[in-house]
Amino acid sequence: MIKAFLGTGLLGSGFIRAMLQRGDTVQVWNRTTARAQALETFGAKVCSEVTDAVSGAGRIHITLKDDASVDEVLEAARTGFAPGAIIIDHTTTSKEGAIRRTAYWKEQGFTYQHAPVFMGPANALEASGFMLVSGDEAVMDGLKPELSVMTGKLLELGPEVGKAAALKLAGNAFLVCFAFSLRESVAVAKSLGMSASDMAGLFQNWNPAAQTDARLKRLSGEDQDQPSWELAMARKDTGLFLEAAQQAGVPLTLLPQIAPVMDAWIEKGFGHYDWTVVGRDLA
């Protein structure tokens, strides 16, 4: 089966090289053709026209920027679609966009399957990481063998169209906050005369990421009146973070926004509850 791949950025190039290593015939297109030409060395057929890239392809994979670029490129390519072609979109998009495209392309006689990933370029090349799918279970069953070889784990999320898109965005929100949390921790450490390497040494022995699952369960649980760390005490420590940073002239991003939320919950009478009570309104 001929495959098309639209978008040859870092992630797309990794996927394409892996497909070629598995013996697939891959026709590729990129908005800037010169950026795709390096893939010819690995056996890809580079096309300057997107309609040529999708011509005869039973599977059309996409890794682009956003909803607008996916819509634009698919509309430009549609006259070249082979009958029965399946579109597999790995782009991180809005939930609404994924739902709309699924319905729209079905009306046009084609299958659109959103399959966003928690994968970097190295993961795409090595077939590691995670790929998410949701929607028509018959479609997912048919694509499972093909998609499974592209990733370390294929997460099947059930029949709700758009669920994969939603959880990918929520997961990315965690990654963004995680990076900023590390930045904030290093900033507090710096204000106290410590360095990033000191923090790295601490985390080599104490891994707070291991607490993620338990913290999420506690955040949405009903036992927050049995604290392991009282909100009032967490707020006290937050005051120490802020004071140290202010005295050292080190700017903080998250903690100044977190403190008022803690104060609001304490004012509502939850100071002696577990500090995770701040998530109760979202549970």
Side-chain angles (χ1 to χ4, degrees), residues 23-266:
D24 293 337
T25 299
V26 188
Q27 299 172 170
V28 306
W29 172 88
N30 194 65
R31 195 180 300 274
T32 304
T33 305
R35 294 182 180 178
Q37 288 174 338
L39 292 166
E40 290 179 331
T41 304
F42 302 98
K45 179 182 178 182
V46 177
C47 302
S48 59
E49 299 294 332
V50 69
T51 49
D52 293 334
V54 300
S55 179
R59 301 287 185 269
I60 302 166
H61 292 262
I62 317 169
T63 304
L64 297 172
K65 180 183 178 181
D66 52 21
D67 287 287
S69 61
V70 171
D71 289 338
E72 178 188 350
V73 170
L74 287 179
E75 282 298 333
R78 66 182 300 168
T79 58
F81 287 171
I86 296 177
I87 304 162
I88 304 171
D89 184 6
H90 306 291
T91 309
T92 298
T93 69
S94 68
K95 177 181 178 180
E96 293 76 11
I99 293 171
R100 174 175 49 77
R101 278 185 290 277
T102 301
Y104 174 78
W105 286 107
K106 185 176 182 178
E107 292 173 357
Q108 308 307 309
F110 299 98
T111 298
Y112 171 92
Q113 176 64 56
H114 195 217
V117 300
F118 291 114
M119 299 169 69
N123 298 120
L125 183 58
E126 300 165 358
S128 58
F130 299 85
M131 184 178 292
L132 288 61
V133 290
S134 67
D136 189 313
E137 293 183 322
V139 172
M140 291 192 295
D141 286 344
L143 292 175
K144 183 176 180 179
E146 181 175 349
L147 297 182
S148 293
V149 300
M150 296 178 64
T151 186
K153 186 168 185 178
L154 183 65
L155 301 179
E156 300 176 75
L157 302 173
E160 181 182 344
V161 177
K163 186 173 184 178
L167 289 180
K168 174 62 198 309
L169 288 174
N172 275 9
F174 176 85
L175 293 178
V176 170
C177 291
F178 185 55
F180 270 82
S181 294
L182 290 174
R183 179 182 185 273
E184 205 86 339
S185 297
V186 171
V188 171
K190 180 180 178 181
S191 70
L192 296 168
M194 299 292 105
S195 66
S197 60
D198 291 320
M199 291 299 296
L202 173 63
F203 290 153
Q204 286 173 3
N205 293 284
W206 170 63
N207 179 15
Q211 304 174 27
T212 302
D213 185 57
R215 285 282 177 264
L216 182 59
K217 290 177 181 176
R218 194 74 189 270
L219 198 72
S220 58
E222 298 295 330
D223 61 345
Q224 291 155 340
D225 58 345
Q226 303 295 320
S228 61
W229 189 21
E230 289 185 350
L231 175 60
M233 297 303 291
R235 177 61 179 90
K236 180 265 297 182
D237 287 0
T238 300
L240 293 175
F241 312 151
L242 294 170
E243 180 182 352
Q246 183 178 22
Q247 290 177 352
V250 176
L252 298 176
T253 302
L254 299 181
L255 290 167
Q257 305 302 316
I258 290 171
V261 177
M262 289 179 158
D263 290 338
W265 280 92
I266 290 171

